[in-house]
Amino acid sequence: GTLHIDDKAITGAVEALNKLRQANVLIKFVTNTTKESRNCLYNRLINLGFELKPDEIHSSLGAAQLLIKQRNLKPMFLLAPEALEDFTGLECKDDKPDTVIIGLAPSEFHYEKLNKAFRCLINGSHLIGIHAGKYYKTKDSLALGPGCFVKGLEYSAQCKAELVGKPNPCFFKSAIGDILPEDAIMIGDDVQDDIEGAMKIGMKGYLVQTGKYRNGDENRISPVPTAVFASFVEAVNQIL
């Protein structure tokens, strides 16, 4: 929604990113995308003409992968098949998972699979939401994000999900590393997960009116975004 929508780049975004690189600023692609692996996303962006390296992608899938390894979890995954590449060898090897991990997974959000997750939760498994986005932008319109399914499992299993991606402060802090928050800018189309989340740790938040942006979004948070731009192109021009 900020750089591309499905397989179409935002007009002028490729050229704007090139200008940003020429200014020698540090760049991270901070994403909640869970419908495809980091490698799939990297190849998609490269094919659209964007210049980047795989290790510049800081994804919520990567944060979830690290969490699984650190805690030695045995997860059941509610993830799209295209995302499971990032979790090879980490799935529960028996029928007793201790964690349910949920992301955007349209093909998996059916009664049988959701009910299996529900039964794991009421038997003591921990619920981890890679993120709880309300919706995302497709080439046709807006589509349901994983948030309503996370909330549904919370409601039925009477539990509380742990969220690892945006707007988790730890996720933003891990993305910028040693850079001071006040020296960093988040450019995004999601006023809550991108902009409000970043501003809460002291970053600047540049909201773009592409992707999932809806009219009036800039007034849905307090304080309001640092700035609002028509697209990534104008945001980059402001930075330069």
Side-chain angles (χ1 to χ4, degrees):
T2 303
L3 293 178
H4 71 103
I5 296 171
D6 287 336
D7 289 319
K8 184 177 180 180
I10 299 295
T11 302
V14 171
E15 295 77 12
L17 181 63
N18 290 339
K19 289 181 182 178
L20 201 57
R21 286 207 181 279
Q22 291 166 10
N24 292 320
V25 298
L26 295 176
I27 298 171
K28 280 286 181 73
F29 299 82
V30 182
T31 176
N32 264 354
T33 295
T34 57
K35 60 184 177 180
E36 57 189 356
S37 67
R38 186 175 79 162
N39 186 55
C40 288
L41 178 59
Y42 169 75
N43 288 325
R44 182 193 295 269
L45 292 173
I46 289 293
N47 290 336
L48 290 175
F50 291 102
E51 178 189 336
L52 72 155
K53 300 174 183 176
D55 61 6
E56 290 179 317
I57 297 177
H58 189 79
S59 74
S60 53
L61 287 178
Q65 180 194 75
L66 182 61
L67 195 65
I68 293 169
K69 292 178 178 178
Q70 288 176 335
R71 297 183 185 176
N72 197 28
L73 300 176
K74 300 194 306 179
M76 170 198 167
F77 292 109
L78 266 173
L79 294 175
E82 297 84 355
L84 288 174
E85 176 184 344
D86 284 351
F87 299 94
T88 302
L90 296 177
E91 59 278 348
C92 180
K93 298 297 192 296
D94 54 39
D95 60 354
K96 296 180 180 179
D98 59 12
T99 310
V100 173
I101 295 185
I102 179 172
L104 179 62
S107 64
E108 306 302 300
F109 290 154
H110 54 80
Y111 186 80
E112 183 180 350
K113 196 67 175 281
L114 288 167
N115 204 39
K116 180 179 178 182
F118 163 70
R119 288 170 176 167
C120 288
L121 295 172
I122 61 174
N123 285 324
S125 291
H126 180 51
L127 179 60
I128 293 179
I130 298 183
H131 69 94
K134 298 177 180 66
Y135 46 81
Y136 67 101
K137 179 69 173 178
T138 69
K139 60 182 177 181
D140 300 319
S141 184
L142 295 177
L144 281 174
C148 60
F149 298 96
V150 173
K151 295 298 182 182
L153 287 171
E154 283 183 331
Y155 175 77
S156 294
Q158 300 181 63
C159 65
K160 184 67 177 176
E162 176 182 0
L163 299 180
V164 298
K166 297 180 292 187
N168 188 323
C170 294
F171 185 65
F172 284 105
K173 289 175 183 176
S174 63
I176 62 176
D178 295 332
I179 302 298
L180 294 174
E182 55 265 34
D183 292 331
I185 297 170
M186 177 69 200
I187 306 174
D189 66 332
D190 188 314
V191 72
Q192 293 178 315
D193 287 356
D194 292 337
I195 306 307
E196 186 176 39
M199 291 177 67
K200 279 185 175 179
I201 72 161
M203 296 172 65
K204 298 177 181 67
Y206 284 7
L207 177 65
V208 294
Q209 296 171 316
T210 56
K212 69 172 68 173
Y213 171 85
R214 300 182 72 190
N215 188 39
D217 274 355
E218 55 268 38
N219 299 315
R220 300 182 195 278
I221 62 171
S222 181
V224 297
T226 309
V228 182
F229 297 98
S231 77
F232 179 74
V233 176
E234 288 77 14
V236 168
N237 288 339
Q238 174 64 30
I239 292 170
L240 296 178

